[in-house]
Amino acid sequence: MSKAFDVVVIGGGPGGYVAAIRAAQLGFNTACIDDWKNALGGPAPGGTCTNVGCIPSKALLQSSENFEQAGHHFADHGIGLTNLSIDVTKMLGRKNTVVKQNNDGILYLFKKNKVTFFHGRGSFVKSGAEGVEIAVAGAKPEALIAKHVIVATGSNPRALPGAPFDEETILSNDGALRIPGVPKTLGVIGSGVIGLEMGSVWRRLGADVTVLEALPTFLGAVDEQIAKEAHKAFTKQGLKIQLGVKISEVKLAKRGALIAYTDAGGKEQKFECEKLIVSIGRVPNTIGLNAEAIGLKFDERGFVAVDADCKTNLINVWAVGDVVRGPMLAHKAEEEGVAVAERIAGQHPHVDFNTVPWVIYTSPEIAWVGQSEQALKAEGRAYKVGTFPFMANGRARALGDTTGLVKMIADARTDQILGVHIVGPYASELIAESVVAMEFKASSEDIARICHAHPSLSEATKEAALAVDKRALNF
Ligand code: FAD
Ligand code: NAI
């Protein structure tokens, strides 16, 4: 006998678990199926984000940043330390605890909101007049029938052809988050978000890190001025970044991995490293979903095909998050999950991709919202730019972290803010103000006229806004 639900969500990552909670809040009898297992084989909802993504990476970034501060910057404050050491086992243990707190938090939220949780793999059986039938394969097999289905099955790391992840030497994000000791040498293929964040973690702890990137430009999607500033800072810290390389072969060697590649000058090169992180993007995950059973369509890149409202080709079947088009970000997945639950309830929500913030949690952090200067130039749009360096910000000086700047771009005619780009301390937090401003279609003058606390890093945003009108006060 199948258990009947109004809404069944397949996948318990940020897209899925948030969709399930919102659906339950709206009064639907809701279930969420997730197959992630913790070390003991028990449920670990939260998906990539909680288990091997956002949360553990930020835990390690914090630990390694503390180590870096203690080793290189505490002395500036008059704090002396001798025999500084890092206990990697303890650091990884702390990270695992943080992950578990988040897993448990989601299980608690399911209970609180009366979402029925099934631990196992969900696959489509068939679709009929009563709804969509789904089988759950887990410790306790279940048969469900749903009026509405939300597919939120996420993504998996993309491997290099001929070099599968063994998570010992050739590492995806998963292995990169649990290297048992600091490697002497670490190779990173792909200087995207994961490559830079994980490369930073292990570099701060003492690894000699080389990053090999195929594209000739560094962080191509980021505003050029910001990317240039970040590149300068990372290089100064010791990250060896090579752009425009072509990887010919990656193979396991006696003591690590051996990479053969052609450098930007066309020269054949060989590079050996103890551990290798491959972070060249991610692919949608629809493994084992048995989508054919109900005729669910994919696009040419393997994502579940959806329209702007996350509707698939099938009535009452929706898809959100990494498994559909758009940025692979936890907060984008969450917004889509909430929006779909509300659409099922007959509401009319809207997710605006142009105001989705992006953050790279390196040091300095990089964060942006809206369009880059190069994108606006290519579009032929007339714009004005204001920048303000953290060097001229009192709080940044007090923090001892004056790298970077805030850059605000506004429409030349209307002054509406078109993009804000930050490289510098706490950029991840600072960007929120600009997201709100853009959501409310604010002008740079609006930000310039708002009272900002002193001394605070947010004054740099106000000053950048003033600079759009060429009237910065402190620079
Ligand atoms: P996922 O989080 O991948 O969740 C999908 C879930 O569905 C998984 O638990 C999976 O096991 C389960 N599942 C799949 N198929 C089935 C099935 N058939 N039956 C049952 N369960 C199934 N984004 C940010 O915004 N900020 C960050 O700081 C950030 N850092 C990241 C760091 C790393 C190292 C990585 C890899 C990613 C990071 N991301 C970050 C991206 C973020 O993790 C993803 O965008 C987000 O997890 C996508 O959410 P989702 O719900 O679509 O999918
Ligand atoms: P990415 O798309 O950010 O970067 C991949 C990089 O690899 C690109 O620069 C690309 O040019 C390069 N590349 C591709 N093929 C290559 C090859 N054969 N040789 C050398 N370089 C190659 O992907 P990444 O870092 O794997 O992360 C995946 C996604 O996870 C991101 O797009 C992001 O959405 C999400 N994420 C978000 C984070 C955040 O919000 N802070 C943190 C980490 C991941």
Side-chain angles (χ1 to χ4, degrees), residues 9-18 32-37 44-58 61 118-124 134-137 151-157 172-174 176-177 193-195 197-198 282 285-290 320-324 327-334 336 357-361:
V9 184
I10 308 178
Y17 91 77
V18 167
C32 181
I33 312 167
D34 188 78
D35 65 349
W36 206 291
K37 291 190 183 79
T48 301
C49 170
T50 301
N51 292 293
V52 290
C54 324
I55 300 299
S57 61
K58 267 79 257 180
L61 279 156
F118 293 100
H119 188 214
R121 194 147 197 92
S123 61
F124 291 115
I134 299 160
V136 185
V151 178
T153 48
S155 63
N156 287 321
S172 71
N173 54 293
D174 183 4
L177 287 159
V193 198
I194 294 178
E197 289 189 356
M198 296 318 300
R282 297 177 64 83
N285 172 28
T286 51
I287 301 167
L289 195 58
N290 198 24
V320 301
D322 279 13
V323 79
V324 304
M328 286 187 168
L329 296 173
H331 41 286
K332 173 264 193 185
E334 289 181 23
E336 285 184 336
W358 286 80
V359 178
I360 307 178
Y361 294 82

Side-chain angles (χ1 to χ4, degrees), residues 366-417:
I366 303 167
W368 72 96
V369 58
Q371 285 174 283
S372 65
E373 186 171 356
Q374 67 266 24
L376 290 166
K377 212 174 260 170
E379 209 181 88
R381 183 124 180 211
Y383 60 86
K384 310 177 276 185
V385 176
T387 60
F388 188 81
F390 284 106
M391 189 74 82
N393 174 276
R395 184 75 194 277
R397 286 196 201 115
L399 278 174
D401 196 353
T402 53
T403 313
L405 66 139
V406 177
K407 173 173 182 175
M408 187 173 285
I409 312 177
D411 185 274
R413 196 175 53 82
T414 64
D415 193 36
Q416 185 181 336
I417 301 171

Side-chain angles (χ1 to χ4, degrees), residues 10 29 70 76 88 97 111 122 154 173 180 212 302 314 336 350 456:
I10 308 178
N29 178 17
D76 299 340
V88 173
T97 304
K111 259 205 190 114
N173 54 293
L212 301 174
L314 303 169
E336 285 184 336
H350 175 64
S456 73

